[in-house]
């Protein structure tokens, strides 16, 4: 039951971060330490003096740019402007943004960013016009259930910000998809009444942001919980959209551009859905092997779990790359131990006769999280290979049986250790087993972002 609850908790958490996830990695470089003769406390005092007690500083809920006060060079003059986000209670436009520009000893204050809704969902800085300056992309929570979103784009020029674009969306991405030095805006429009969905691409053309193309998408999804822009192949960018389907299942849609047109790679026009990437639980597309290309996760059950309930299965993640057409090519497997806080990548020599058993800490007599890997022979007999255990540091230091384990990693108050079976009589199982160096190479602590 706990595993089922954990699975549902993961899906609920993923759904709460469905936009602006992984879209603004390049903005890390923009948010450098301020080069101005002012710090955040002085900015707060200046804003308080300007706005009074009715204004409350607020931070965006998501993304890397998650401070109420942000320093960024918007107009490419090698000097940072200061963006200040705040809320005015009981105002027609409660969500506000000030842009402060230093002019000698004085400050020019622009108050052009105004929006309705409940929160700033995220803030991005992107060159949408292609002039080398950065536009401010603001996403707003505008619905009572925090599901409806709005997106605005502001141009900052000559000390003033002007809204260039605004629209609603269910999910979005802003990035240079076609490598023309201008960021495009991709919005997902979901009509749940008609079970229809469209992806719409907007681009700066003839001094305006215009709709330039659209593509059909799966209308049966619940919510997009992860959206990433990254390399789908060695020479082509893509938008990876992970979405819920039903109570706990999910899919990935991949949008690329071919000959100047959007293409939904896995979309089936006959069924008006995406079936190729369907999986039983939520998973997130990512560059799991750090080769610069994003992989898509599918899930499979290990051997010996054919008759188990879905909640009891320790799902193996199978990773696939886009094949450049409308299919997938296998790129390895591994297991995410969410409660243990790590990922274990399966070596190439392993086949589907490898199985595993996850014993959670509160189910284990030892009180430790335990992951057991075994080989299943042709008669269905299991032969244990090795076990990864998560120790509390105090328990590790006082463990009388410590000599049967080898420490493979550590963090904060945790020690990750492994015990390898020595007297294995099955010849094939011996071949499948790993030595301590191989286990270390395939193990990594993993920070789950939900």
């Amino acid at each position: 039951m706990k595993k089922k609850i954990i699975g549902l908790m993961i899906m609920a958490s993923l759904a709460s971060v469905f936009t602006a996830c992984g879209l603004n990695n390049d903005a890390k470089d923009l948010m450098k330490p301020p080069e101005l003769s002012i710090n955040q406390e002085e900015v707060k005092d200046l804003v308080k003096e300007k706005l009074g007690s009715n204004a409350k500083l607020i931070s965006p809920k998501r993304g890397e740019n998650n401070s109420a006060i942000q320093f960024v060079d918007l107009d490419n003059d090698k000097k940072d402007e200061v963006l200040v986000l705040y809320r005015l209670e009981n105002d027609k436009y409660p969500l506000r943004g000030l842009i402060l520009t230093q002019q000698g000893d004085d400050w020019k204050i622009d108050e052009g960013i105004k929006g309705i809704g409940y929160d700033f969902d995220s803030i991005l800085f992107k060159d949408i016009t292609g002039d080398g300056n950065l536009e401010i992309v603001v996403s707003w929570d505008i619905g009572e259930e925090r599901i409806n979103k709005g997106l605005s784009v502001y141009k900052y020029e000559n000390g003033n910000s002007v809204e260039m674009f605004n629209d609603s969306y269910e999910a979005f991405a802003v990035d240079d998809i076609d490598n023309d030095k201008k960021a495009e805006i991709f919005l997902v429009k979901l009509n749940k009444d008609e079970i229809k969905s469209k992806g719409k691409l907007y681009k700066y053309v003839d001094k305006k942001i215009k709709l330039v193309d659209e593509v059909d998408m799966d209308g049966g999804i619940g919510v997009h919980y992860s959206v990433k822009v990254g390399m789908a192949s060695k020479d082509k960018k893509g938008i990876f959209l992970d979405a819920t389907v039903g109570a706990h299942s999910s899919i990935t849609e991949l949008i690329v551009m071919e000959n100047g047109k959007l293409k939904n790679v896995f979309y089936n026009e006959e069924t008006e859905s995406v079936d190729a990437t369907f999986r039983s639980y939520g998973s997130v597309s990512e560059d799991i092997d750090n080769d610069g290309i994003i992989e898509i996760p599918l899930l499979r059950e290990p051997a010996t779990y054919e008759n188990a309930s879905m909640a009891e299965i320790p799902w193996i993640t199978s990773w696939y790359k886009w094949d450049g057409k409308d299919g997938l090519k296998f790129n390895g497997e591994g297991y995410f131990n969410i409660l243990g806080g790590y990922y274990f990548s399966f070596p190439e020599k392993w086949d589907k006769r490898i199985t595993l058993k996850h014993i959670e800490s509160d189910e284990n007599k030892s009180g430790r999280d335990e992951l057991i890997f075994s080989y299943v022979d042709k008669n269905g007999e299991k032969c244990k290979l090795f076990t990864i255990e998560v120790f509390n540091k105090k328990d590790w230091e006082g463990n009388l049986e410590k000599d049967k384990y080898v420490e493979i990693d550590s963090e904060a108050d945790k020690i990750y250790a492994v015990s390898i079976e020595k007297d294995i009589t099955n010849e094939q199982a011996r071949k499948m087993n790993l030595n301590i160096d191989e286990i270390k190479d395939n193990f990594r602590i993993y920070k789950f972002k939900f």
Side-chain angles (χ1 to χ4, degrees), residues 47-61:
V47 172
K48 185 176 181 180
E49 179 183 337
K50 167 72 177 174
L51 302 174
S53 60
N54 192 36
K56 179 182 179 183
L57 294 179
I58 57 172
S59 300
K61 296 195 305 181

Side-chain angles (χ1 to χ4, degrees), residues 143-384:
E144 291 187 2
E145 296 180 358
R146 306 299 201 271
I147 294 175
N148 296 320
K149 307 285 184 177
L151 191 84
S152 296
V153 177
Y154 293 88
K155 180 74 174 174
Y156 183 72
E157 200 167 35
N158 300 321
N160 297 296
S161 59
V162 178
E163 188 178 51
M164 304 172 62
F165 175 87
N166 69 80
D167 206 341
S168 61
Y169 69 91
E170 191 276 330
F172 84 100
V174 182
D175 210 295
D176 182 6
I177 308 300
D178 57 5
N179 296 314
D180 68 346
K181 310 300 182 184
K182 293 192 293 187
E184 290 79 38
I185 301 167
F186 181 81
L187 302 182
V188 178
K189 300 280 195 170
L190 181 62
N191 186 330
K192 292 194 174 184
D193 292 332
E194 297 182 5
I195 317 180
K196 299 283 187 181
S197 183
K198 289 277 189 183
K200 295 178 178 285
L201 189 73
Y202 299 84
K203 193 176 184 68
Y204 187 74
V205 180
D206 298 329
K207 299 184 179 181
K208 291 183 178 180
I209 297 176
K210 298 180 179 180
L211 176 66
V212 293
D213 198 17
E214 61 183 35
V215 66
D216 289 328
M217 299 183 68
D218 193 319
I221 64 101
V223 67
H224 288 94
Y225 57 82
S226 174
V227 181
K228 283 189 176 76
V229 178
M231 299 307 295
S233 65
K234 289 183 178 180
D235 57 0
K236 192 180 291 291
K237 270 187 179 180
I239 306 171
F240 295 78
L241 301 104
D242 301 317
T244 60
V245 179
H248 49 69
S249 303
S250 67
I251 60 170
T252 297
E253 295 188 81
L254 171 59
I255 308 296
V256 298
M257 290 196 74
E258 292 187 350
N259 301 316
K261 302 289 290 182
L262 293 175
K263 177 182 178 181
N264 191 347
V265 170
F266 307 117
Y267 184 76
N268 185 324
E269 293 185 0
E270 292 184 2
T271 63
E272 298 183 339
S273 63
V274 171
D275 305 314
T277 59
F278 179 86
R279 52 196 170 245
S280 299
Y281 283 97
S283 297
V284 178
S285 301
E286 62 178 294
D287 179 10
I288 194 67
D289 57 3
N290 297 314
D291 67 347
I293 299 172
I294 293 178
E295 285 81 31
I296 294 171
L298 300 184
L299 300 176
R300 73 169 181 87
E301 62 188 31
T304 72
Y305 285 88
E306 293 82 3
N307 298 318
S309 68
M310 289 183 65
E312 295 173 322
I313 297 172
W315 295 94
I316 293 170
T317 301
S318 300
W319 296 100
Y320 291 83
K321 291 185 187 294
W322 176 44
D323 67 2
K325 298 177 181 178
D326 56 4
L328 296 163
K329 53 185 178 182
F330 180 73
N331 194 57
E333 292 186 318
Y335 181 75
F336 285 106
N337 186 342
I338 295 173
L339 296 177
Y342 65 86
Y343 174 73
F344 190 82
S345 177
F346 291 6
E348 289 186 9
K349 69 179 181 180
W350 277 8
D351 57 28
K352 292 186 177 180
R353 302 196 76 83
I354 296 293
T355 193
L356 50 95
K357 181 178 181 180
H358 182 205
I359 305 175
E360 298 167 8
S361 58
D362 60 350
E363 298 175 349
N364 201 349
K365 291 181 179 179
S366 68
R368 297 190 293 270
D369 184 281
E370 191 173 301
L371 185 63
I372 304 168
F373 289 93
S374 302
Y375 173 77
V376 182
D377 67 18
K378 294 180 179 179
N379 298 318
E381 296 294 322
K382 287 198 294 187
C383 180
K384 186 187 293 186

Side-chain angles (χ1 to χ4, degrees), residues 426-443:
N426 186 295
E427 182 179 353
Q428 189 61 24
R430 285 200 302 271
K431 291 179 181 178
M432 290 294 105
N433 208 3
L434 306 179
N435 60 43
I436 192 64
D437 289 333
E438 290 173 319
I439 293 171
K440 286 182 178 180
D441 287 344
N442 287 282
F443 176 94

